[in-house]
Amino acid sequence: MADISYETRIIKVSASQPADDLLRPAALALSQGELVAFPTETVYGLGANALDAAAVGRIFAVKGRPADNPLIVHAASLAELEPYVTAFPPLALCLFQHFAPGPLTLVLPKAKVVPDLVTGGLDTVAVRIPAHPVALALLRLAGVAVAAPSANSSGKPSPTQAWHVAQDLAGKIPYLIDGGPCQHGLESTVLDLCAEKPRILRPGSITAAQIESVCDIRPEISSPSQGPLRSPGMKYRHYAPRARVVLADESAGRSPAALIEHFRADKLRLGLYCSRQKAAAVLDLCQPLTELAGTLAPGGCLYYAYAELPDPALAGKHLFDALRSFDTAGCDIIIIESLPETGVGLAYMNRVKKAAQPEL
Ligand code: TXA
Ligand code: MG
């Protein structure tokens, strides 16, 4: 099935006010069992009608995704998600009241109607109401709930721009809706409400402190060292570019300058992802990625500055674009600025560490 080939139609729409006429053919295809890639405020998703097991099966085939890694069910409103869970407990209602539509996914007891393929055989289902106007318009026009993982090949960095999706999935899906770059750039916070205590399975832009501040409950946070994981997806290889990823950490004596000197001695091609403030210290060693003309010479170094000053939200927003862009430029090593693991910094460092340990 994955080997059916398509001429992928890329539909460019306004991010804030997408025209229904442009979205309608993709929405119809989605409702009829085809796969459609679309922007959300976190990352691009690869959607299928959540009640169509054959269509959902094609998501796994096209991405090369392990069958035991469950998908998130997306809908445009709480009412439209209701048939997919047995009930919304008061805490879920409180959370969605404050954070939906938005980058929060809740794991709840699954209703029978959800195909086992969607949930990897679990008795729970992950649900989310995305905030992106294009995602909401597509869901409304399709009139079905949509199971959607990130629209990348399994193991690769998640896509935050349409060209990232095309790099992995062109020729494999009929429609890619291009709504420009995603606002957050990191996938949603996944919060398990079926465990003994609410637990964050995957950190995202919505933090434990924000959840506590509105619903008066401090969720626990899963760490990979905490034994069996409730979120099957967290055990797989993730976010891995072709290049090797190395963390810069001044406090551990691994400054960007020291790492650059170390690797260029071996004539490796380097990329550095950091704030402009950090890049200022290595301007004599690196050139901006945007100014690369032709190919990067052995021992050369490019930098991608995500913002003026260190900022976890902006670092997260551009991280996956940087990983793909450095790969495209031919880098062997990508050096990444470490940030404190507080607030959104926890989500940023979660992705960076996984990218640096592709065997995880
Ligand atoms: O921001 C996002 O969440 C994006 C956009 C497209 O919505 N989607 C996304 O999907 O990142 P995906 O499939 O790449 O990641 C879903 C995560 C995986 O770690 C998966 O294991 C977890 O959610 N998950 C899904 N259903 C689950 C369940 N029933 N129990 C525990 N974890 C679940
Ligand atoms: Mg993913």
Side-chain angles (χ1 to χ4, degrees):
M1 296 205 283
D3 42 23
I4 295 179
S5 71
Y6 292 90
E7 193 168 327
T8 303
R9 263 157 288 179
I10 299 180
I11 301 172
K12 179 114 187 102
V13 298
S14 152
S16 54
Q17 290 180 311
D20 282 0
D21 285 351
L22 292 175
L23 292 175
R24 214 167 263 119
L28 184 66
L30 189 53
S31 69
Q32 292 176 343
E34 295 282 6
L35 304 188
V36 174
F38 61 98
T40 80
E41 75 280 21
T42 57
V43 300
Y44 275 73
L46 176 62
N49 179 344
L51 293 181
D52 182 337
V56 171
R58 282 206 301 284
I59 289 183
F60 288 88
V62 159
K63 277 181 62 92
R65 180 175 174 110
D68 69 349
N69 189 2
L71 307 178
I72 298 170
V73 174
H74 300 69
S77 68
L78 194 68
E80 286 160 274
L81 279 179
E82 227 155 1
Y84 302 91
V85 302
T86 54
F88 281 110
L91 179 57
L93 293 175
C94 171
L95 288 162
F96 270 161
Q97 201 181 343
H98 285 92
F99 298 114
L104 178 67
T105 295
L106 299 182
V107 174
L108 293 166
K110 146 188 166 357
K112 280 206 181 67
V113 69
V114 182
D116 283 340
L117 257 184
V118 171
T119 61
L122 297 176
D123 53 10
T124 57
V125 62
V127 293
R128 168 162 123 79
I129 303 169
H132 198 297
V134 175
L136 288 171
L138 182 72
L139 288 166
R140 182 172 42 77
L141 289 170
V144 295
V146 167
S150 48
N152 52 301
S153 295
S154 214
K156 291 284 159 208
S158 294
T160 54
Q161 298 185 28
W163 74 265
H164 304 163
V165 180
Q167 208 174 40
D168 287 6
L169 303 183
K172 297 182 177 176
I173 56 173
Y175 289 101
L176 160 55
I177 299 168
D178 179 356
C182 300
Q183 179 197 341
H184 294 290
L186 297 176
E187 306 87 342
S188 61
T189 304
V190 177
L191 180 65
D192 186 358
L193 296 186
C194 297
E196 244 167 70
K197 291 183 75 181
R199 173 178 289 271
I200 292 181
L201 302 177
R202 180 178 69 184
S205 305
I206 293 180
T207 63
Q210 280 176 290
I211 289 169
E212 184 174 19
S213 74
V214 297
C215 294
D216 215 19
I217 177 137
R218 178 98 188 168
E220 297 182 346
I221 300 179
S222 284
S223 87
S225 56
Q226 274 176 329
L229 290 168
R230 283 189 57 97
S231 186
M234 300 309 274
K235 70 176 182 268
Y236 289 112
R237 191 167 190 259
H238 264 97
Y239 315 120
R242 193 190 43 74
R244 182 179 151 208
V245 172
V246 175
L247 260 84
D249 188 349
E250 310 269 355
S251 58
R254 292 199 311 270
S255 69
L259 289 169
I260 292 169
E261 294 294 2
H262 172 78
F263 287 117
R264 74 184 337 183
D266 291 333
K267 295 273 174 260
L268 294 169
R269 297 170 174 84
L270 309 178
L272 169 65
Y273 183 63
C274 60
S275 58
R276 203 169 297 284
Q277 188 189 53
K278 194 119 288 176
V282 293
L283 283 184
D284 51 333
L285 300 173
C286 302
Q287 67 176 118
L289 171 66
T290 46
E291 287 173 19
L292 176 68
T295 52
L296 180 61
C301 180
L302 302 169
Y303 72 86
Y304 182 134
Y306 58 78
E308 206 49 48
L309 298 175
D311 176 328
L314 291 172
K317 175 172 178 169
H318 297 283
L319 175 67
F320 295 139
D321 180 50
L323 295 179
R324 284 185 186 259
S325 299
F326 284 134
D327 263 357
T328 303
C331 294
D332 303 302
I333 305 273
I334 303 173
I335 300 167
I336 302 191
E337 180 179 14
S338 296
L339 294 175
E341 293 183 51
T342 53
V344 186
L346 184 67
Y348 167 73
M349 289 302 291
N350 170 273
R351 307 313 191 268
V352 168
K353 285 180 178 174
K354 280 176 191 264
Q357 290 174 291
E359 70 279 8
L360 255 191

